[in-house]
């Protein structure tokens, strides 16, 4: 089963992924934790280029194809092999990020992005997506605190430095996707305490696992 985690900057999806992974492992399930960019060796190199705030002259199309290159290698090297081994794959960002950041955010054609996503991912669509939603101002404040605490304001702060208008377009893009695909995308209220966020995730994920026969 392939589950992706999406949301604006500072939405808490990475924390929720780790908490959910630990919960599933406590239920005796095998879990693969991964992320984009950076879930494979190529992606680790591309992550530095894509997220470093000093990368200021990257053209939108170049940005797009770097993300797609990471996705193609990530699917081939990590996601597909893990699914074939029977693991539950939890991925921090995937193709929906491309649709909203490069589509809604950058203004690129969504139909073309969907076609390129499908080619890069060999048609690998998530079984379910958890979308962590909260107000943009709250998310950016959280992201700023996290980056200061981790010392990554420069090394991973490129998208946080975008305009408020950009981040509002991204959030609206995510909500539009959720409205279009309610059977796949589940909205999570990310403004709550992490324990309450985890309860929301466990509820929808365990229900889906039961449908797939992975939990009694």
């Amino acid at each position: 089963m392939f589950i992706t985690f999406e949301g604006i900057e500072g939405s808490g999806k990475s924390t929720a992924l780790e908490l959910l992974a630990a919960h599933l492992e406590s239920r005796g399930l095998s879990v693969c934790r991964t992320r984009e960019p950076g879930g494979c060796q190529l992606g680790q190199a591309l992550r530095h280029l894509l997220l470093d705030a000093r990368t200021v002259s990257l053209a939108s199309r170049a940005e797009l194809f770097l993300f797609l290159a990471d996705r193609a290698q990530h699917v081939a090297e990590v996601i597909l092999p893990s699914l074939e081994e029977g693991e539950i794959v939890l991925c921090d960002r995937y193709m929906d990020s491309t649709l909203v950041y490069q589509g809604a955010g950058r203004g690129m054609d969504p139909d073309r992005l969907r076609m390129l996503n499908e080619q890069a991912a060999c048609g690998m669509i998530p079984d379910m997506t958890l979308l962590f939603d909260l107000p943009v101002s709250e998310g950016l404040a959280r992201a700023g605190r996290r980056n200061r605490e981790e010392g990554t304001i420069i090394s991973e702060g490129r998208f946080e430095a975008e305009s408020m208008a950009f981040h509002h377009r991204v959030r609206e893009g995510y909500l539009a996707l959720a409205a279009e695909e309610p059977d796949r995308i589940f909205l999570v209220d990310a403004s709550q305490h992490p324990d309450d966020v985890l309860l929301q995730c466990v509820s929808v994920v365990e229900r889906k696992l039961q449908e797939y026969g992975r939990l009694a």
Side-chain angles (χ1 to χ4, degrees):
M1 185 171 175
F2 182 27
I3 304 172
T4 56
F5 292 62
E6 296 284 355
I8 64 170
E9 307 302 321
S11 60
K13 58 186 174 47
S14 303
T15 298
L17 187 153
E18 288 298 328
L19 293 173
L20 180 62
H23 172 80
L24 295 176
E25 287 170 341
S26 75
R27 300 289 307 272
L29 298 167
S30 180
V31 177
C32 169
R33 302 163 170 84
T34 191
R35 66 180 182 177
E36 289 193 358
C40 59
Q41 187 173 358
L42 175 64
Q44 291 169 12
L46 293 177
R47 185 178 181 90
H48 172 72
L49 291 172
L50 286 162
L51 301 189
D52 195 304
R54 290 164 292 196
T55 308
V56 295
S57 59
L58 190 62
S60 295
R61 284 184 298 171
E63 176 186 81
L64 167 65
F65 283 104
L66 288 175
F67 276 117
L68 292 171
D70 169 57
R71 184 158 304 132
Q73 185 66 24
H74 187 214
V75 168
E77 184 178 321
V78 177
I79 295 174
L80 278 175
S82 297
L83 291 172
E84 289 169 356
E85 289 294 321
E87 292 187 298
I88 296 171
V89 176
L90 305 183
C91 186
D92 186 343
R93 295 202 183 283
Y94 191 59
M95 58 175 52
D96 293 315
S97 284
T98 299
L99 292 176
V100 297
Y101 278 82
Q102 281 69 53
R106 302 277 189 232
M108 303 182 81
D109 178 58
D111 291 332
R112 183 164 181 265
L113 291 176
R114 285 187 174 88
M115 177 192 70
L116 292 170
N117 259 336
E118 183 175 356
Q119 292 175 349
C122 292
M124 177 59 62
I125 305 295
D127 295 301
M128 69 182 302
T129 297
L130 301 176
L131 172 56
F132 296 80
D133 181 59
L134 78 171
V136 167
S137 57
E138 184 178 348
L140 290 177
R142 287 184 184 181
R145 288 194 298 271
R146 176 201 65 210
N147 289 350
R148 286 191 295 274
E149 290 169 0
E150 297 178 358
T152 57
I153 291 176
I154 300 299
S155 63
E156 297 215 351
R158 181 167 166 264
F159 281 95
E160 284 87 341
E162 291 283 351
S163 69
M164 287 293 288
F166 174 87
H167 290 289
H168 280 292
R169 291 196 300 272
V170 167
R171 185 190 184 199
E172 290 164 4
Y174 270 128
L175 294 175
L177 281 181
E180 291 172 13
E181 298 189 60
D183 292 335
R184 174 175 69 88
I185 302 176
F186 296 84
L187 206 59
V188 175
D189 181 358
S191 65
Q192 297 185 5
H193 186 277
D195 290 342
D196 295 318
V197 171
L198 176 61
L199 287 175
Q200 295 177 68
C201 297
V202 168
S203 175
V204 295
V205 169
E206 288 197 346
R207 187 163 63 246
K208 182 66 73 170
L209 287 169
Q210 289 166 355
E211 291 175 8
Y212 277 63
R214 299 295 299 270
L215 279 179

